[in-house]
Amino acid sequence: VPIVALMSVGMLCVILLGGIDLSAGSLLAISTGVTAVLMKKFFSADTMVNSIVLIVICLVIGAVAGMINGLLLTKLHLPHPFIATLGTKNIYRGITLVIMGSASIAGFPKGVLTVGTAEPVGIPLSFILTIVVFVLMHIFLSKTPLGRKIYSFGGNSEAARLAGINTDNVQITCYALSGFFCALAGVVYIGRLN
């Protein structure tokens, strides 16, 4: 459940815009796949620093891949998010299969696996992480200027643009958040499956 729940937090931002992100599963795949390949080549030692670096790499890759979705919509002016994210879904999945050689990669440092396997005080860490993310996202959407801009864009994008909101930046940010949360779900997924 935490994997799907974390992915849905990112999807929430995109849906509030009136968009859709069909590449969510592929965002998870590319962020974890690239992280696995980098781990195998450069970070195979089981240290806490390597674990933190690998988690950060995974999150950055997810955010950048999600941002590419947003850029396709805003800068290339593709007609609908359905088309852009359907295309990137296949591209990201294909890149993942090529770089991983269509094989599983195991042997992540214990620090990376902890996010998906640890159970402090008998409650899974991934469940605690999900609750914290839900609370933070609620605060972000209801109490921050960017959160209000997201709601404004979703209500009427043209009125938001005429009110002075940079609608391109709002879209790019939401798709980047979608990628980030898919990558965060990927970190939990790595912990579950190694």
Side-chain angles (χ1 to χ4, degrees), residues 35-83:
T35 302
V37 170
L38 290 174
M39 180 269 307
K40 192 171 185 178
K41 290 187 185 280
F42 304 110
F43 301 100
S44 57
D46 193 356
T47 67
M48 186 52 77
V49 172
N50 282 353
S51 297
I52 292 169
V53 169
L54 286 169
I55 290 171
V56 169
I57 287 171
C58 186
L59 297 176
V60 168
I61 290 168
V64 169
M67 186 176 70
I68 290 169
N69 285 341
L71 289 169
L72 288 173
L73 295 169
T74 58
K75 303 306 179 198
L76 292 183
H77 304 290
L78 293 180
H80 195 274
F82 189 94
I83 295 166

